[in-house]
Amino acid sequence: MNSEKHTGNINYYSYKLRKKKRNRRIIIIRSILLVVLLLAVVLLFIFGYIQFKKTRINDYYDTENGYTNLIKTEDLVSDRLVPFASDLAVLNKDTDYSDEMLTSDAGLITGRSGGNIISAKAPTERMNPASTTKIMTALCALKYGNIDDLVVITNDALITEEGASLAYIKPGQTYTLRQLLYGLLLPSGNDAANAIAIHVGGSIDAFVDIMNKEATEIGAADTHFKNPHGMTDEDHYTTAYDLYLMLNEAMQYPDFIEICSTKEYNVEYLNEDGTYGSRLWKNTNKYITGERDLPETISVIAGKTGTTLAAGHCLVMAVSNENDDEFVTIVLKSDTTDSLYNNMDYYLSGVR
């Protein structure tokens, strides 16, 4: 009797063990099937995305001229492609952009959002941008930095090159990042650009990497930066169209618009010895300072000047007319300051 009971117990436990093993196998099989299903979904998504990209290339890439309706590039590769953006003004590959009325080397006028470029000259030609570079510097500072941070100026921020535009900040002085943005965009301080780069990026080189990454992300495929201020370097270049993309992106930040449209700014800073100092920074845009008259119906929203021997005289602006329509007007490489503003007047006459 006891033997039979013992045998029954063995059979029962053997059954339970087999059932447990079977359930475990079922769970394992179900898990494997679930993983396979998920992998299949992921692979289908990746395949669909690749096909989408190929469709976009076929739709917008002109193999003869080497550019898309959104970007021009001579070495189109996958990591520089961006989806077509319906909310951006685009270049028409069938249009000859050679505005003979513009005496500068390049320029562009367009509505801020959507549609085709209104008029342009060499809009995709790579050029030295001078201090219009600082549009991207400001964009990256606003996107990746905290505007209320305190920034202690270091020796690495100093600019010693003769003729460089400066905010005249000194090592040991303390500013907020917001104040340095005024120093960047009003007097066009190359030293302010370095100080911002060091604070936000950890080093100038690291910040320049951020600038180049940001340029790629917004579709500015014919742009490459070597510094945050725009001093001449053969490997530092952009185009009129790319500058439109940068300005349009920077204007998503109200602080950028507020700073760029300021006529002058009195900055108060802390010296290394604990005393306070102040300095007046003036905008280099003559339309904003009143040194150059605007057409009656036009208002400047934001913008940036740039001047070097290599880049000539440059100006990038966003403006509005009496109907509150917004436009971007860009003039690059004019021979003189007067020529720059004469060319810009020509563009502004077309948006009234």
Side-chain angles (χ1 to χ4, degrees), residues 43-55:
L43 288 172
L44 283 173
F45 175 81
I46 293 172
F47 177 77
Y49 181 75
I50 291 173
Q51 291 302 114
F52 169 80
K53 284 298 216 177
K54 288 181 178 178
T55 301

Side-chain angles (χ1 to χ4, degrees), residues 29-192:
I29 291 171
R30 287 177 177 175
S31 298
I32 292 172
L33 289 174
L34 180 61
V35 170
V36 170
L37 180 62
L38 288 174
L39 284 174
V41 171
V42 171
L43 288 172
L44 283 173
F45 175 81
I46 293 172
F47 177 77
Y49 181 75
I50 291 173
Q51 291 302 114
F52 169 80
K53 284 298 216 177
K54 288 181 178 178
T55 301
R56 286 305 187 188
I57 296 172
N58 293 332
D59 286 347
Y60 297 106
Y61 187 59
D62 183 340
T63 55
E64 180 179 352
N65 297 317
Y67 61 86
T68 68
N69 274 351
L70 180 61
I71 57 175
K72 170 183 176 293
T73 176
E74 296 174 358
D75 52 347
L76 190 64
V77 293
S78 60
D79 64 349
R80 297 180 69 194
L81 288 175
V82 292
F84 180 81
S86 61
D87 58 344
L88 292 172
V90 296
L91 296 168
N92 188 330
K93 64 182 179 181
D94 297 322
T95 300
D96 178 22
Y97 292 108
S98 55
D99 190 341
E100 296 180 356
M101 295 295 292
L102 200 72
T103 63
S104 65
D105 282 12
L108 176 151
I109 176 173
T110 184
R112 268 196 67 200
S113 301
N116 291 322
I117 303 298
I118 296 171
S119 182
K121 179 179 180 181
T124 57
E125 182 176 342
R126 292 177 177 179
M127 307 182 71
N128 191 296
S131 287
T132 61
T133 296
K134 291 164 183 162
I135 295 171
M136 179 58 82
T137 306
L139 167 59
C140 291
L142 290 166
K143 184 172 182 178
Y144 299 105
N146 182 343
I147 199 167
D148 295 317
D149 275 356
L150 293 177
V151 182
V152 180
I153 308 304
T154 64
N155 289 322
D156 294 340
L158 292 182
I159 297 286
T160 58
E161 184 172 324
E162 186 177 353
S165 57
L166 299 172
Y168 296 101
I169 58 179
K170 304 295 182 185
Q173 293 176 341
T174 300
Y175 298 80
T176 64
L177 183 57
R178 182 190 301 273
Q179 289 175 323
L180 289 175
L181 284 167
Y182 276 97
L184 175 82
L185 296 171
L186 268 62
S188 199
N190 293 345
D191 45 359

Side-chain angles (χ1 to χ4, degrees), residues 257-272:
I257 296 174
E258 178 183 345
I259 294 169
C260 282
S261 60
T262 300
K263 179 178 179 180
E264 56 184 39
Y265 179 77
N266 188 55
V267 60
E268 295 186 351
Y269 53 87
L270 179 66
N271 288 309
E272 190 172 15

Side-chain angles (χ1 to χ4, degrees), residues 170-236:
K170 304 295 182 185
Q173 293 176 341
T174 300
Y175 298 80
T176 64
L177 183 57
R178 182 190 301 273
Q179 289 175 323
L180 289 175
L181 284 167
Y182 276 97
L184 175 82
L185 296 171
L186 268 62
S188 199
N190 293 345
D191 45 359
N194 279 351
I196 290 169
I198 293 165
H199 177 74
V200 175
S203 70
I204 292 174
D205 288 344
F207 185 81
V208 172
D209 288 341
I210 294 172
M211 294 171 67
N212 284 316
K213 179 176 179 292
E214 189 68 21
T216 300
E217 290 181 355
I218 67 174
D222 279 310
T223 292
H224 186 262
F225 297 111
K226 290 291 287 184
N227 58 63
H229 40 65
M231 291 174 68
T232 304
D233 187 298
E234 64 179 9
D235 202 27
H236 186 100

